[in-house]
């Protein structure tokens, strides 16, 4: 077992078999080649934790939770590079959550993370579907409005005197 101390998860234990190697890194994190997936089976959101920098972790989720008919139409060259057939691949999309507006969370449907779990290889690829957005809202407009209103209402009910009576 190997241990990694992370600011987000505390100490993480993993085995070498858990490591996913990204030969070219991930765009924006080209020097980060070794990653592990962190998260329990009950939660749809997982974290892609860099082993090259304990401060870097990307929230990801299966694209089928956002789009039931998601089909990124991967390039055959990308599939070959991952030493896989399309059925051997697991897809994830990166989640982006604005700190001051979580209701505006988006997922990147245009560039999924593709993992061949048999070979422990990964790559972020560009979907051949131009209709997929880089910033696709995670929540529909009604849900976003409800979340925003609840947040604003909770903020307006917060004590203004620092909690002193």
């Amino acid at each position: 077992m190997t241990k990694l101390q992370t600011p987000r998860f505390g100490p993480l234990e993993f085995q070498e078999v858990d490591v996913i190697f990204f030969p070219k890194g991930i765009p924006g994190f080209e020097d980060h080649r070794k990653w592990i997936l962190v998260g329990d089976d009950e939660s749809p959101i997982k974290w892609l934790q860099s082993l090259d920098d304990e401060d870097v972790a990307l929230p990801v989720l299966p694209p089928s939770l956002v789009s039931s008919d998601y089909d990124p139409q991967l390039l055959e060259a990308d599939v070959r590079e991952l030493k896989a057939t399309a059925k051997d691949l697991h897809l994830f999309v990166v989640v982006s959550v604005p700190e001051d507006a979580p209701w505006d969370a988006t997922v990147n449907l245009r560039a999924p993370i593709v993992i061949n779990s048999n070979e422990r290889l990964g790559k972020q690829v560009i979907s051949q579907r131009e209709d997929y957005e880089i910033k696709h809202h995670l929540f529909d407009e009604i849900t976003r409005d409800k979340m925003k209103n609840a947040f604003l209402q909770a903020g307006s009910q917060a004590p203004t005197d620092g909690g002193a009576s």
Side-chain angles (χ1 to χ4, degrees), residues 13-130:
E13 288 187 0
F14 63 93
Q15 297 177 13
E16 195 60 34
V17 69
D18 299 323
V19 176
I20 305 162
F21 184 67
F22 285 71
K24 298 177 182 174
I26 294 175
F29 302 97
E30 290 82 0
D31 294 338
H32 300 248
R33 305 260 166 89
K34 293 181 178 181
W35 300 77
I36 57 172
L37 272 175
V38 178
D40 60 39
D41 292 338
E42 290 78 41
S43 175
I45 294 182
K46 307 292 184 226
W47 290 83
L48 200 55
Q49 171 67 55
S50 172
L51 298 181
D52 297 309
D53 182 344
E54 64 277 352
D55 291 331
V56 176
L58 305 174
V60 296
L61 58 80
S64 60
L65 296 177
V66 179
S67 175
S68 61
D69 60 347
Y70 184 73
D71 178 15
Q73 299 176 357
L74 304 176
L75 288 175
E76 200 54 44
D78 289 329
V79 175
R80 275 194 312 273
E81 189 175 330
L82 291 167
K83 301 179 183 176
T85 63
K87 66 179 173 42
D88 296 329
L89 300 175
H90 297 278
L91 301 175
F92 294 94
V93 290
V94 177
V95 181
S96 177
V97 182
E99 189 173 331
D100 57 342
W103 51 86
D104 282 332
T106 61
V107 293
N108 183 346
L109 293 178
R110 185 78 165 120
I113 301 276
V114 183
I115 296 173
N116 176 346
S117 56
N118 295 331
E119 297 289 328
R120 308 305 295 170
L121 285 173
K123 181 178 182 179
Q124 186 169 25
V125 302
I126 303 297
S127 166
Q128 296 308 293
R129 295 273 309 266
E130 293 184 13

